mmCIF file of all heavy atoms in Angstrom:
data_model
loop_
_atom_site.group_PDB
_atom_site.id
_atom_site.type_symbol
_atom_site.label_atom_id
_atom_site.label_comp_id
_atom_site.label_asym_id
_atom_site.label_seq_id
_atom_site.Cartn_x
_atom_site.Cartn_y
_atom_site.Cartn_z
ATOM 1 N N MET E 1 26.583 17.248 -0.285
ATOM 2 C CA MET E 1 25.653 17.692 0.780
ATOM 3 C C MET E 1 24.191 17.491 0.368
ATOM 4 O O MET E 1 23.353 17.102 1.147
ATOM 5 C CB MET E 1 25.908 19.172 1.126
ATOM 6 C CG MET E 1 24.974 19.721 2.200
ATOM 7 S SD MET E 1 25.134 18.960 3.804
ATOM 8 C CE MET E 1 26.560 19.852 4.436
ATOM 9 N N SER E 15 8.816 7.908 7.111
ATOM 10 C CA SER E 15 8.363 7.747 8.496
ATOM 11 C C SER E 15 6.848 7.794 8.637
ATOM 12 O O SER E 15 6.315 7.298 9.644
ATOM 13 C CB SER E 15 8.992 8.837 9.384
ATOM 14 O OG SER E 15 8.369 10.106 9.113
ATOM 15 N N VAL E 18 4.471 12.717 7.481
ATOM 16 C CA VAL E 18 3.763 13.495 6.465
ATOM 17 C C VAL E 18 2.948 12.523 5.632
ATOM 18 O O VAL E 18 3.459 11.541 5.137
ATOM 19 C CB VAL E 18 4.746 14.271 5.568
ATOM 20 C CG1 VAL E 18 3.972 15.100 4.539
ATOM 21 C CG2 VAL E 18 5.674 15.145 6.376
ATOM 22 N N PRO E 20 0.255 11.395 2.457
ATOM 23 C CA PRO E 20 0.028 11.750 1.044
ATOM 24 C C PRO E 20 -0.956 12.914 0.916
ATOM 25 O O PRO E 20 -2.001 12.905 1.566
ATOM 26 C CB PRO E 20 -0.549 10.471 0.461
ATOM 27 C CG PRO E 20 0.047 9.363 1.280
ATOM 28 C CD PRO E 20 0.094 9.933 2.667
ATOM 29 N N LEU E 24 4.753 19.621 2.823
ATOM 30 C CA LEU E 24 5.987 19.507 3.577
ATOM 31 C C LEU E 24 6.349 20.873 4.216
ATOM 32 O O LEU E 24 5.847 21.896 3.763
ATOM 33 C CB LEU E 24 7.145 19.054 2.685
ATOM 34 C CG LEU E 24 7.333 17.578 2.409
ATOM 35 C CD1 LEU E 24 6.156 16.993 1.635
ATOM 36 C CD2 LEU E 24 8.617 17.346 1.653
ATOM 37 N N LEU E 30 12.987 23.363 6.335
ATOM 38 C CA LEU E 30 13.748 22.117 6.061
ATOM 39 C C LEU E 30 15.249 22.370 6.183
ATOM 40 O O LEU E 30 16.000 21.518 6.694
ATOM 41 C CB LEU E 30 13.390 21.585 4.671
ATOM 42 C CG LEU E 30 12.029 20.904 4.506
ATOM 43 C CD1 LEU E 30 11.742 20.606 3.076
ATOM 44 C CD2 LEU E 30 11.976 19.596 5.352
ATOM 45 N N LYS E 50 11.650 14.147 -9.098
ATOM 46 C CA LYS E 50 11.915 13.264 -10.222
ATOM 47 C C LYS E 50 11.498 11.817 -9.936
ATOM 48 O O LYS E 50 11.116 11.079 -10.828
ATOM 49 C CB LYS E 50 13.418 13.320 -10.593
ATOM 50 C CG LYS E 50 13.820 14.639 -11.246
ATOM 51 C CD LYS E 50 15.308 14.654 -11.577
ATOM 52 C CE LYS E 50 15.714 15.945 -12.235
ATOM 53 N NZ LYS E 50 17.167 15.989 -12.538
ATOM 54 N N LEU E 97 -10.853 -8.562 -9.238
ATOM 55 C CA LEU E 97 -11.873 -7.536 -9.487
ATOM 56 C C LEU E 97 -13.213 -8.130 -9.945
ATOM 57 O O LEU E 97 -14.270 -7.575 -9.643
ATOM 58 C CB LEU E 97 -11.365 -6.530 -10.528
ATOM 59 C CG LEU E 97 -10.522 -5.368 -9.981
ATOM 60 C CD1 LEU E 97 -9.780 -4.634 -11.094
ATOM 61 C CD2 LEU E 97 -11.433 -4.389 -9.217
ATOM 62 N N PHE E 115 -15.681 -13.279 13.269
ATOM 63 C CA PHE E 115 -15.091 -12.814 12.008
ATOM 64 C C PHE E 115 -14.646 -11.356 12.134
ATOM 65 O O PHE E 115 -13.575 -10.975 11.683
ATOM 66 C CB PHE E 115 -16.124 -12.942 10.870
ATOM 67 C CG PHE E 115 -15.785 -12.227 9.612
ATOM 68 C CD1 PHE E 115 -14.611 -12.460 8.940
ATOM 69 C CD2 PHE E 115 -16.685 -11.273 9.104
ATOM 70 C CE1 PHE E 115 -14.315 -11.779 7.759
ATOM 71 C CE2 PHE E 115 -16.397 -10.585 7.952
ATOM 72 C CZ PHE E 115 -15.203 -10.841 7.275
ATOM 73 N N ILE E 126 -0.804 -6.498 9.905
ATOM 74 C CA ILE E 126 -0.242 -5.666 8.840
ATOM 75 C C ILE E 126 0.645 -4.575 9.431
ATOM 76 O O ILE E 126 1.738 -4.275 8.879
ATOM 77 C CB ILE E 126 -1.372 -5.039 8.001
ATOM 78 C CG1 ILE E 126 -2.081 -6.161 7.182
ATOM 79 C CG2 ILE E 126 -0.876 -3.935 7.081
ATOM 80 C CD1 ILE E 126 -3.389 -5.734 6.558
ATOM 81 N N TRP E 132 9.051 -7.171 4.459
ATOM 82 C CA TRP E 132 8.151 -6.884 3.346
ATOM 83 C C TRP E 132 7.367 -8.153 2.931
ATOM 84 O O TRP E 132 6.178 -8.068 2.655
ATOM 85 C CB TRP E 132 8.969 -6.358 2.164
ATOM 86 C CG TRP E 132 8.120 -5.960 1.001
ATOM 87 C CD1 TRP E 132 7.449 -4.778 0.844
ATOM 88 C CD2 TRP E 132 7.839 -6.713 -0.193
ATOM 89 N NE1 TRP E 132 6.782 -4.747 -0.371
ATOM 90 C CE2 TRP E 132 7.004 -5.929 -0.995
ATOM 91 C CE3 TRP E 132 8.236 -7.990 -0.611
ATOM 92 C CZ2 TRP E 132 6.560 -6.380 -2.237
ATOM 93 C CZ3 TRP E 132 7.772 -8.427 -1.852
ATOM 94 C CH2 TRP E 132 6.953 -7.633 -2.643
ATOM 95 N N ILE E 139 -1.364 -8.898 4.169
ATOM 96 C CA ILE E 139 -2.379 -8.248 3.369
ATOM 97 C C ILE E 139 -3.303 -9.244 2.684
ATOM 98 O O ILE E 139 -4.525 -9.125 2.732
ATOM 99 C CB ILE E 139 -1.718 -7.296 2.328
ATOM 100 C CG1 ILE E 139 -1.052 -6.113 3.025
ATOM 101 C CG2 ILE E 139 -2.733 -6.805 1.300
ATOM 102 C CD1 ILE E 139 -0.191 -5.283 2.146
ATOM 103 N N GLY E 141 -3.706 -12.283 3.671
ATOM 104 C CA GLY E 141 -4.407 -12.974 4.756
ATOM 105 C C GLY E 141 -5.639 -12.232 5.190
ATOM 106 O O GLY E 141 -6.684 -12.868 5.497
ATOM 107 N N ASN E 152 -18.209 -19.859 0.599
ATOM 108 C CA ASN E 152 -18.163 -20.623 -0.649
ATOM 109 C C ASN E 152 -16.743 -21.210 -0.793
ATOM 110 O O ASN E 152 -15.787 -20.505 -1.024
ATOM 111 C CB ASN E 152 -18.477 -19.703 -1.850
ATOM 112 C CG ASN E 152 -18.571 -20.462 -3.164
ATOM 113 O OD1 ASN E 152 -17.625 -21.137 -3.551
ATOM 114 N ND2 ASN E 152 -19.693 -20.301 -3.850
ATOM 115 N N CYS E 156 -12.931 -19.724 -2.101
ATOM 116 C CA CYS E 156 -11.753 -19.767 -1.242
ATOM 117 C C CYS E 156 -10.596 -20.452 -1.962
ATOM 118 O O CYS E 156 -9.464 -19.978 -1.946
ATOM 119 C CB CYS E 156 -12.039 -20.508 0.080
ATOM 120 S SG CYS E 156 -13.013 -19.568 1.251
ATOM 121 N N ALA E 165 0.081 -18.236 -6.773
ATOM 122 C CA ALA E 165 0.789 -17.737 -7.963
ATOM 123 C C ALA E 165 1.635 -16.503 -7.620
ATOM 124 O O ALA E 165 2.748 -16.356 -8.096
ATOM 125 C CB ALA E 165 -0.238 -17.374 -9.051
ATOM 126 N N PHE E 171 5.865 -12.373 -4.579
ATOM 127 C CA PHE E 171 5.060 -11.173 -4.820
ATOM 128 C C PHE E 171 5.829 -10.148 -5.674
ATOM 129 O O PHE E 171 5.640 -8.938 -5.500
ATOM 130 C CB PHE E 171 4.592 -10.564 -3.520
ATOM 131 C CG PHE E 171 3.832 -11.526 -2.653
ATOM 132 C CD1 PHE E 171 4.456 -12.207 -1.610
ATOM 133 C CD2 PHE E 171 2.483 -11.801 -2.887
ATOM 134 C CE1 PHE E 171 3.768 -13.105 -0.822
ATOM 135 C CE2 PHE E 171 1.777 -12.697 -2.102
ATOM 136 C CZ PHE E 171 2.419 -13.364 -1.068
ATOM 137 N N GLY E 174 12.255 -8.376 -5.007
ATOM 138 C CA GLY E 174 13.612 -8.860 -5.113
ATOM 139 C C GLY E 174 14.306 -8.901 -3.771
ATOM 140 O O GLY E 174 15.330 -9.525 -3.577
ATOM 141 N N VAL E 180 9.617 -2.453 6.124
ATOM 142 C CA VAL E 180 8.455 -1.802 5.547
ATOM 143 C C VAL E 180 8.357 -0.393 6.126
ATOM 144 O O VAL E 180 8.321 -0.196 7.372
ATOM 145 C CB VAL E 180 7.166 -2.568 5.901
ATOM 146 C CG1 VAL E 180 5.965 -1.936 5.211
ATOM 147 C CG2 VAL E 180 7.290 -4.036 5.492
ATOM 148 N N LYS E 186 0.905 2.532 7.031
ATOM 149 C CA LYS E 186 -0.278 3.353 7.273
ATOM 150 C C LYS E 186 -1.214 3.372 6.066
ATOM 151 O O LYS E 186 -2.454 3.351 6.220
ATOM 152 C CB LYS E 186 0.169 4.787 7.619
ATOM 153 C CG LYS E 186 0.804 4.921 8.981
ATOM 154 C CD LYS E 186 1.197 6.378 9.267
ATOM 155 C CE LYS E 186 1.792 6.540 10.627
ATOM 156 N NZ LYS E 186 2.169 7.958 10.912
ATOM 157 N N ALA E 198 -16.688 -1.285 6.533
ATOM 158 C CA ALA E 198 -17.879 -1.497 5.715
ATOM 159 C C ALA E 198 -18.505 -2.866 5.988
ATOM 160 O O ALA E 198 -19.728 -3.019 6.091
ATOM 161 C CB ALA E 198 -17.547 -1.359 4.218
ATOM 162 N N ILE E 199 -17.632 -3.889 6.110
ATOM 163 C CA ILE E 199 -18.124 -5.246 6.354
ATOM 164 C C ILE E 199 -18.732 -5.367 7.740
ATOM 165 O O ILE E 199 -19.840 -5.908 7.890
ATOM 166 C CB ILE E 199 -16.984 -6.277 6.158
ATOM 167 C CG1 ILE E 199 -16.566 -6.325 4.698
ATOM 168 C CG2 ILE E 199 -17.427 -7.674 6.625
ATOM 169 C CD1 ILE E 199 -15.357 -7.212 4.426
ATOM 170 N N ALA E 207 -19.010 -2.163 1.178
ATOM 171 C CA ALA E 207 -17.947 -3.176 1.156
ATOM 172 C C ALA E 207 -17.523 -3.466 -0.285
ATOM 173 O O ALA E 207 -16.333 -3.566 -0.606
ATOM 174 C CB ALA E 207 -18.425 -4.465 1.840
#
Side-chain angles (χ1 to χ4, degrees):
M1 178 65 82
S15 73
V18 181
L24 276 65
L30 285 171
K50 288 180 180 178
L97 273 166
F115 166 59
I126 290 168
W132 185 80
I139 291 171
N152 185 303
C156 285
F171 304 98
V180 184
K186 288 181 178 180
I199 292 174

